[in-house]
Amino acid sequence: MSKANSNSTDTGARTAETEAGARTEETAAEREQERVDTAAGERLSTAPREDRPETESESGTGVPAMGVVGWVRWFWRQLTSMRVALILLFLLSLGAIPGSLIPQTSVDDLKVQNFKDQHTTLSPIYEKFQLFDVYSSVWFSAIYILLFVSLIGCIVPRTGQFVGQLRSRPPGAPKRLTRLPAYTTWRTEAEPEAVREAALGVLGKRRFRAHAAGDAVAAEKGYLREAGNLIFHIALIVMLVAFAAGQLFKSEGGKLVVEGDGFANTLTQYDDFKSGSLYDSDSLAPFSFVLDDFVGTYEESGPQRGTPRTFEARVKYTEGADGPERKSVIRVNEPLVVDGTKVYLIAHGYAPVVTVRDGKGKVVSRNSVPLLPIDNNITSTGAIKVMDGYRDKNGVKTQLGFKAFFVPTFAGHGKGQMFSQFPGAEFPVLALSAYRGSLGVDSGLPQNVYQLDTSKMKEFKDKDGELLKKMLRPGEKLDLADGEGSITFEGIEEWASFQISQQPGNGWALGGAIAAIAGLAGSLFIQRRRVWVRAVRGEDGVTVVEMAGLGRSESAKLPEELGDLAAVLIATAPVAPEKTDAPEKTDAPEKPGAPGPSDDATNEAGSRPVHPAEAPAEGAEK
């Protein structure tokens, strides 16, 4: 009896082990099938795979197997990954911030020098980190070059993969369409071949790339998403190249021109000039212009009194050495363009016309002296220098200097300090103080034309022994002490400051920016998706139609689009009428994973397959 029980127990154990093994094999088979099914929805992107470097630790030795070549490959994969490219782009934007906040030597040397004089503690630190020359610094150039290499290394393989995807056909349908997030099914009396033919026509009209694959139709749409992504990255490279070319081959200079004077585009005519390291001065465009008149108007009343309304520099220009003379008007942000060179109007001010005479009444100099504005009402300061032609009462050659302070609209004596009340020249007043001696111009050192160095000069004294100074209206004069001569305020003229720049690559940079925006919009708003339509004859002779869709990213529009496609396809393959005398079906389908016609069936994504007869308007459900 015990022997029988033992045999029975052994038999039961073997049966249990066999069933457990079968379940294990069935589970493994289902997992493998799931992997195969989901493979049809993979690789909707051209992003290269990030393969993990193989190490010997995986084989149990615990020692890295990568040699020099392996480490180089690993570094290259990291550098050309999208993650690193975004980090470098962020660092480049971050590095440009100090270039916008801190004065740059390449833009304005005077501002840099003033900053250094005012910030004696910060300036050495800024110089050490090259913050006064951000865009030509070592660290900014390193980020720039790494970003350039990263983008190229990222685009080249992605372009090859994208071209390969364009040449290939959409993958065949997975075995279990119910696993996909958007799914619908219905039964029809139409032939399976007719359904698939109709599906090809419907998908083709919706601009899907479709083809028949076995018992199903596979279709794909939205390739412009990846094309937009590639265009965006290529546009970034174009912008980087254009920016580099602009910095290397650019030229930029400034020139202050008084009404009636002119400018010729040669190096000796510039007040200041900067150029890129690869710029050739022989490439200066040959042209010249004369400032005929400057017109500036301002708001005369109300809370916006003094606000500029019109800034116009009316010029005559000649292109080339013997070109015809033409007229033009240069306004703010409306430059004069001559042979690729742009002439911008950037500032304006006043230039008092003064006449200096010696003790015998002889005119020593007569010219208009530009003064530097210090506020929005064009209160201006400067210096009037007489370097040659003047002799004192003893006949000794000497130099004269006058500190000048000018206001175009003076409020009048006893009405506050001498500051302009309005930018227009309604009541001009020129205040002068006189000096004599050496101006220091013979030393050969550069001087600021708006400042007077009085270290080697003596003051002219008035009758009280104080510095000789006086406020003058047009037509009035200041007599120097002891019959040494005089200076007369004749009137005022206006001056305009121009920036003459030649920067190749601006057109490419603009085109790259527009292409980058268009590509980014395409990569964000176009969805790449795949649709499969399977039509097979069921066991009862009725055709079962299944439709499923898969998008690269979650989108509420995919089920709606699938529903629209199903609604159009139903016109060719209408829903078969329900058989009222059909025997009752069990709750579970006979074959695992097979889409049964039961109304209570659900797909493996957790949603109930929509029957077009029940909801023809929707047609699909996630």
Side-chain angles (χ1 to χ4, degrees):
M1 187 69 179
S2 60
K3 184 177 181 180
N5 291 337
S6 176
N7 292 337
S8 176
T9 302
D10 294 341
T11 302
R14 287 194 297 271
T15 304
E17 292 176 358
T18 302
E19 292 177 354
R23 285 195 299 269
T24 302
E25 293 178 358
E26 182 179 356
T27 303
E30 289 180 353
R31 290 177 179 174
E32 179 64 20
Q33 184 61 49
E34 182 178 356
R35 186 188 67 79
V36 174
D37 290 346
T38 56
E42 293 179 352
R43 306 302 293 157
L44 282 174
S45 170
T46 57
R49 297 179 183 271
E50 295 187 3
D51 299 329
R52 184 181 60 171
E54 184 181 354
T55 62
E56 292 184 6
S57 59
E58 296 175 352
S59 60
T61 61
V63 180
M66 291 194 303
V68 176
V69 177
W71 280 109
V72 170
R73 286 181 177 177
W74 177 86
F75 178 79
W76 178 253
R77 290 194 187 102
Q78 299 303 314
L79 180 61
T80 57
S81 66
M82 187 61 62
R83 177 179 62 255
V84 173
L86 292 175
I87 293 174
L88 291 173
L89 188 61
F90 172 75
L91 291 177
L92 194 69
S93 304
L94 197 65
I97 294 177
S100 303
L101 301 179
I102 301 173
Q104 297 295 295
T105 305
S106 59
V107 177
D108 195 331
D109 290 329
L110 183 59
K111 285 187 177 180
V112 173
Q113 187 60 46
N114 292 337
F115 184 91
K116 291 180 179 180
D117 295 339
Q118 297 173 6
H119 304 83
T120 56
T121 303
L122 284 176
S123 295
I125 300 175
Y126 285 0
E127 287 181 340
K128 183 178 181 180
F129 290 99
Q130 300 177 299
L131 296 183
F132 292 117
D133 299 279
V134 168
Y135 302 110
S136 59
S137 63
V138 175
W139 55 270
F140 190 87
S141 301
I143 298 174
Y144 188 91
I145 293 173
L146 284 176
L147 177 60
F148 190 81
V149 174
S150 177
L151 288 174
I152 293 179
C154 181
I155 289 174
V156 171
R158 290 173 70 97
T159 303
Q161 293 175 10
F162 181 61
V163 172
Q165 290 181 4
L166 289 177
R167 298 178 62 182
S168 63
R169 289 186 171 187
K175 183 177 180 181
R176 299 182 182 181
L177 294 178
T178 55
R179 294 180 180 272
L180 302 183
Y183 173 81
T184 186
T185 183
W186 72 92
R187 292 157 56 86
T188 181
E189 295 180 349
E191 295 295 326
E193 294 78 6
V195 175
R196 291 193 288 268
E197 188 68 25
L200 281 173
V202 171
L203 293 170
K205 290 180 181 179
R206 299 293 183 96
R207 297 191 301 276
F208 277 85
R209 292 179 58 198
H211 72 103
D215 59 356
V217 173
E220 190 169 2
K221 188 179 182 181
Y223 286 93
L224 287 180
R225 178 187 180 94
E226 294 303 324
N229 198 5
L230 291 175
I231 290 174
F232 172 75
H233 289 86
I234 294 173
L236 287 182
I237 293 180
V238 172
M239 292 173 63
L240 291 175
V241 172
F243 178 76
Q247 292 298 313
L248 293 174
F249 297 96
K250 74 173 183 178
S251 69
E252 184 177 281
K255 180 63 179 179
L256 186 148
V257 183
V258 181
E259 289 176 329
D261 292 342
F263 166 79
N265 193 26
T266 60
L267 287 179
T268 57
Q269 289 280 300
Y270 283 94
D271 294 333
D272 59 86
F273 185 82
K274 298 181 179 67
S275 62
S277 57
L278 299 181
Y279 180 77
D280 184 7
S281 59
D282 294 336
S283 61
L284 284 173
F287 72 91
S288 61
F289 67 86
V290 175
L291 177 61
D292 284 341
D293 186 26
F294 181 87
V295 178
T297 60
Y298 309 90
E299 188 69 34
E300 296 184 355
S301 61
Q304 294 186 342
R305 184 174 186 270
T307 303
R309 294 304 181 197
T310 303
F311 277 168
E312 293 182 352
R314 299 173 180 176
V315 300
K316 294 177 181 177
Y317 72 96
T318 302
E319 185 174 356
D322 302 319
E325 188 177 73
R326 298 185 178 93
K327 291 184 178 181
S328 180
V329 177
I330 305 176
R331 301 181 179 88
V332 178
N333 296 326
E334 295 182 17
L336 170 66
V337 182
V338 182
D339 194 16
T341 301
K342 295 183 179 180
V343 181
Y344 292 92
L345 173 64
I346 59 174
H348 100 287
Y350 292 100
V353 181
V354 295
T355 301
V356 179
R357 294 177 173 87
D358 60 13
K360 298 180 180 180
K362 179 184 177 181
V363 175
V364 176
S365 70
R366 186 182 190 279
N367 54 16
S368 53
V369 182
L371 301 181
L372 183 66
I374 59 175
D375 61 21
N376 291 332
N377 286 328
I378 318 184
T379 302
S380 307
T381 63
I384 301 172
K385 302 176 183 181
V386 180
M387 293 178 285
D388 298 311
Y390 176 79
R391 294 177 183 268
D392 61 13
K393 61 182 179 180
N394 298 322
V396 179
K397 289 184 178 182
T398 187
Q399 295 175 334
L400 299 179
F402 302 88
K403 288 185 178 180
F405 193 88
F406 174 79
V407 291
T409 303
F410 181 45
H413 294 284
K415 296 184 180 180
Q417 296 179 343
M418 186 177 168
F419 281 94
S420 179
Q421 309 297 315
F422 186 75
E426 296 185 352
F427 194 85
V429 173
L430 176 65
L432 297 175
S433 55
Y435 299 82
R436 60 184 171 183
S438 175
L439 294 171
V441 295
D442 298 330
S443 63
L445 298 176
Q447 284 190 348
N448 190 330
V449 296
Y450 301 108
Q451 295 179 352
L452 182 66
D453 183 7
T454 61
S455 60
K456 296 181 180 181
M457 305 190 78
K458 295 181 180 180
E459 300 175 350
F460 279 97
K461 303 292 184 178
D462 58 13
K463 60 182 179 179
D464 298 325
E466 300 293 334
L467 173 65
L468 181 62
K469 55 185 178 181
K470 187 178 180 180
M471 290 190 297
L472 306 176
R473 291 274 293 141
E476 298 179 349
K477 68 177 180 177
L478 169 64
D479 292 321
L480 303 179
D482 301 328
E484 296 283 350
S486 65
I487 179 170
T488 304
F489 178 25
E490 305 286 356
I492 56 172
E493 292 180 351
E494 296 188 70
W495 58 261
S497 181
F498 299 95
Q499 177 181 295
I500 300 94
S501 63
Q502 182 179 4
Q503 189 165 5
N506 284 346
W508 286 98
L510 177 61
I514 296 175
I517 295 174
L520 183 62
S523 64
L524 291 177
F525 298 108
I526 298 176
Q527 183 191 16
R528 190 171 175 187
R529 62 272 195 199
R530 289 171 178 166
V531 173
W532 292 276
V533 180
R534 173 174 286 138
V536 295
R537 193 179 301 279
E539 295 181 356
D540 56 354
V542 179
T543 301
V544 177
V545 182
E546 291 182 285
M547 292 186 67
L550 177 66
R552 184 185 175 199
S553 58
E554 292 294 331
S555 174
K557 294 183 179 181
L558 179 61
E560 296 176 4
E561 185 175 27
L562 189 70
D564 293 339
L565 292 171
V568 175
L569 189 57
I570 285 176
T572 302
V575 180
E578 296 290 340
K579 297 181 180 180
T580 55
D581 56 345
E584 294 185 358
K585 301 291 184 181
T586 58
D587 291 340
E590 295 181 359
K591 295 183 179 180
S598 173
D599 291 341
D600 296 332
T602 58
N603 65 10
E604 297 189 22
S607 61
R608 176 177 176 269
V610 178
H611 199 291
E614 299 174 351
E618 298 181 1
E621 185 179 35
K622 285 187 67 175

